């Protein structure tokens, strides 16, 4: 069956009160070229009463505090290519839509989607920092589709903003977290001279969704504790499963190095310049990479793979401090997007699952990969009330998909 979505309204939602004007600079992390990509996600809610109207009004009020989201991106006229936010107050792009079917009819948007993602998301625009679509379903359910450029916020930052909109939708007079721009306090180490342009693979990566059971994850955690005397996290188990499964599936020469890169929050490493109560919503992440030969990752015991992931995590404070001081040879933010590299991001602790516009938290959150050419795995949760961990991937070509799914099935 096909289910049609009709967009009934498109408009710019300006802040409900006057906001500061002028130009705001971005941090050196915000300006990383690989972060000039669009993050797209869907929030699926079981029910709501006039959700489009409620969210539209709350968005307008939230933009008073988060006024950069109502501005526009602009490049410096000096030819440097540096991007800035011009606080124009023009507003965020907001689309209202309807469909006659119920969420039950489309299996609550479980994978594979019975409605194309593009029908539930606003059409992206590169100069608008925030785009939102609220689609109302028959029976009262609704879906919030969100697009934002990674340049203005990381995952924690955009979740903070969306929760601010939800706070106001629920009737609070202002967001519970006071936002902080503060891009000027983020370390800005000396720039390296331009190097070799980053490599981009000529591959077509396919989506796949895999759920890992809590029993499997807890079993591996117990094994790790028994064999090493140390506790490991769900993240450690999941990223190791994913990296090993993908490495086995793509079948590179055993001597070729494979890499897994994950993005670590560094707010706690900047206590002298960022507010202790939180609120900073810019990019405050550092890429940590674990590297080993393809043959070793494919054949190693999972506990040993977990160990090198944990070793990479443990290096974060030292590596970030060295980067901040300019003590590095290679720019860690200059990613090489080759097929032997896997990028992983964890969405379980960002706050997306806590968003409540007044009718309860989302049934689930559906993320989409930022770049078609980046092999990525996004760690999230399956729809409530299911337990465990869901991994949304876009990391293998068609010829490797079946082998990848078979490998991941062994960990389910």
């Amino acid at each position: 069956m096909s289910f049609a979505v009709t967009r009934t309204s498109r408009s710019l939602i300006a802040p409900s009160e006057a906001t500061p004007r002028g130009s705001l600079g971005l941090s050196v992390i915000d300006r990383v070229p690989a972060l000039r990509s669009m993050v797209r996600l869907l929030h699926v809610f079981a029910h709501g009463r006039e959700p489009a109207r409620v969210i539209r009004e709350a968005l307008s009020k939230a933009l008073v505090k988060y006024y950069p989201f109502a501005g526009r991106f602009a490049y410096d006229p000096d030819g440097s290519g540096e991007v800035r936010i011009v606080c124009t107050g023009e507003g965020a792009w907001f689309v209202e839509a309807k469909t006659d079917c119920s969420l039950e009819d489309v299996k609550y948007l479980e994978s594979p989607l019975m409605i194309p993602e593009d029908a539930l998301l606003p059409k992206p625009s590169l100069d608008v920092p925030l785009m939102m679509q609220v689609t109302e379903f028959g029976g009262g359910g609704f879906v919030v589709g969100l697009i934002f450029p990674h340049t203005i916020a990381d995952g924690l930052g955009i979740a903070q903003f969306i929760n601010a909109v939800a706070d106001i939708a629920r009737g609070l007079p202002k967001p519970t977290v006071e936002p902080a721009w503060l891009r000027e306090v983020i370390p800005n180490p000396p720039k390296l001279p331009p190097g070799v342009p980053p490599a981009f693979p000529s591959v077509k990566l396919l989506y796949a969704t895999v759920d890992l059971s809590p029993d499997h994850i807890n079993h591996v955690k117990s094994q790790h504790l028994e064999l090493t005397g140390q506790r490991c996290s769900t993240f450690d188990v999941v990223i190791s499963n994913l990296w090993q499964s993908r490495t086995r599936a793509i079948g590179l020469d055993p001597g070729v190095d494979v890499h897994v890169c994950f993005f670590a929050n560094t707010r706690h490493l900047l206590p002298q310049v960022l507010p202790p109560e939180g609120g900073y919503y810019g990019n405050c992440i550092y890429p940590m990479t674990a590297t080993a030969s393809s043959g070793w990752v494919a054949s190693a015991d999972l506990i040993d793979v977990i160990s090198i992931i944990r070793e990479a995590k443990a290096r974060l404070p030292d590596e970030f401090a060295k980067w901040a001081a300019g003590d590095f040879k290679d720019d860690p933010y200059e990613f090489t997007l080759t097929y032997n590299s896997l990028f992983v991001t964890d969405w379980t602790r960002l706050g997306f699952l806590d968003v409540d516009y007044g009718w309860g938290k989302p049934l689930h959150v559906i993320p989409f990969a930022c770049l078609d050419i980046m092999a990525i795995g996004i760690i999230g949760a399956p729809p409530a009330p299911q337990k465990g961990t869901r991994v949304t991937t876009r990391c293998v070509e068609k010829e490797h998909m079946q082998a990848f799914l078979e490998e991941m099935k062994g960990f389910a």
Side-chain angles (χ1 to χ4, degrees), residues 54-69:
V54 171
I55 295 172
R56 182 182 67 246
E57 293 174 359
L59 174 62
S60 180
K61 294 176 182 178
L63 287 173
V64 175
K65 290 282 189 179
Y66 288 88
Y67 61 89
F69 281 110

Side-chain angles (χ1 to χ4, degrees), residues 4 33 148 208 233 245 307 349 352:
F148 73 96
S233 67
S245 293
S307 293
R349 298 184 181 183
F352 288 127

Side-chain angles (χ1 to χ4, degrees), residues 69-115:
F69 281 110
R72 294 294 180 267
F73 287 109
Y75 290 95
D76 282 346
D78 59 7
S80 65
E82 299 291 9
V83 66
R84 301 176 66 81
I85 293 287
V86 182
C87 300
T88 62
E90 291 175 73
W93 185 241
F94 190 82
V95 178
E96 299 179 37
K98 292 183 180 294
T99 181
D100 291 335
C101 67
S102 68
L103 283 174
E104 185 178 10
D105 291 334
V106 293
K107 300 181 180 178
Y108 297 92
L109 295 180
E110 266 281 41
S111 181
L113 295 178
M114 295 177 69
I115 296 178

Side-chain angles (χ1 to χ4, degrees), residues 84-372:
R84 301 176 66 81
I85 293 287
V86 182
C87 300
T88 62
E90 291 175 73
W93 185 241
F94 190 82
V95 178
E96 299 179 37
K98 292 183 180 294
T99 181
D100 291 335
C101 67
S102 68
L103 283 174
E104 185 178 10
D105 291 334
V106 293
K107 300 181 180 178
Y108 297 92
L109 295 180
E110 266 281 41
S111 181
L113 295 178
M114 295 177 69
I115 296 178
E117 63 188 81
D118 289 344
L120 299 169
L121 290 162
K123 186 177 180 180
S125 173
L126 291 177
D127 70 332
V128 180
L130 182 73
M131 293 146 277
M132 183 182 289
Q133 177 173 319
V134 178
T135 304
E136 298 182 3
F137 282 70
F142 68 100
V143 172
V144 178
L146 186 70
I147 298 179
F148 73 96
H150 216 309
T151 299
I152 196 171
D154 60 11
L156 279 168
I158 197 65
Q160 175 183 308
F161 171 72
I162 296 305
N163 274 288
V165 176
D167 288 342
I168 294 172
R170 293 198 311 275
L172 298 183
K174 63 178 182 179
T176 54
V177 177
E178 185 71 19
W181 181 258
L182 292 176
R183 307 301 164 106
E184 69 278 2
V185 305
I186 298 299
N188 188 13
K191 292 184 179 179
L192 293 173
V196 177
F200 296 99
S202 57
V203 296
K204 182 174 177 58
L205 304 174
L206 303 183
Y207 274 110
T209 299
V210 180
D211 291 339
L212 302 182
S213 71
D215 289 344
H216 162 70
I217 293 170
N218 290 332
H219 174 69
V220 175
K221 286 181 177 180
S222 297
Q223 271 192 319
H224 187 273
L225 179 61
E226 180 181 343
L227 293 172
T228 69
Q230 298 178 332
R231 298 186 183 278
C232 68
S233 67
T234 296
F235 174 84
D236 299 334
V237 175
V238 174
I239 191 175
S240 300
N241 280 171
L242 178 60
W243 191 28
Q244 186 172 68
S245 293
R246 181 181 187 272
T247 300
R248 289 172 175 173
I250 64 178
L252 299 176
D253 186 283
V256 172
D257 279 346
V258 289
H259 317 278
V260 61
C261 176
F262 49 93
F263 303 93
N265 174 34
T266 55
R267 287 164 174 78
H268 63 292
L269 301 178
L270 297 169
Q272 305 302 319
V273 295
L274 293 182
E277 64 276 10
Y280 182 75
Y281 59 96
N283 285 283
C284 201
I285 52 178
Y286 188 85
M288 296 301 302
T289 301
T291 298
S293 71
S294 172
W296 184 89
V297 174
S299 60
D301 189 273
L302 187 64
I303 303 302
D304 294 328
V305 180
I306 290 173
S307 293
I308 66 171
I309 297 296
R310 288 174 53 79
E311 288 168 6
K313 288 169 62 177
R315 297 195 308 267
L316 173 64
D318 286 343
E319 288 198 15
F320 182 73
K322 288 182 178 180
W323 170 80
D327 181 15
F328 57 88
K329 294 181 179 179
D330 299 312
D331 187 348
Y333 292 95
E334 192 170 286
F335 309 128
T336 301
L337 304 179
T338 50
Y339 200 47
N340 61 332
S341 296
L342 171 67
F343 296 83
V344 180
T345 181
D346 184 358
W347 282 34
T348 59
R349 298 184 181 183
L350 299 180
F352 288 127
L353 291 168
D354 299 322
V355 175
D356 182 353
Y357 294 105
W359 307 286
K361 296 180 180 180
L363 296 174
H364 64 133
V365 177
I366 305 170
F368 300 101
C370 298
L371 293 172
D372 292 346

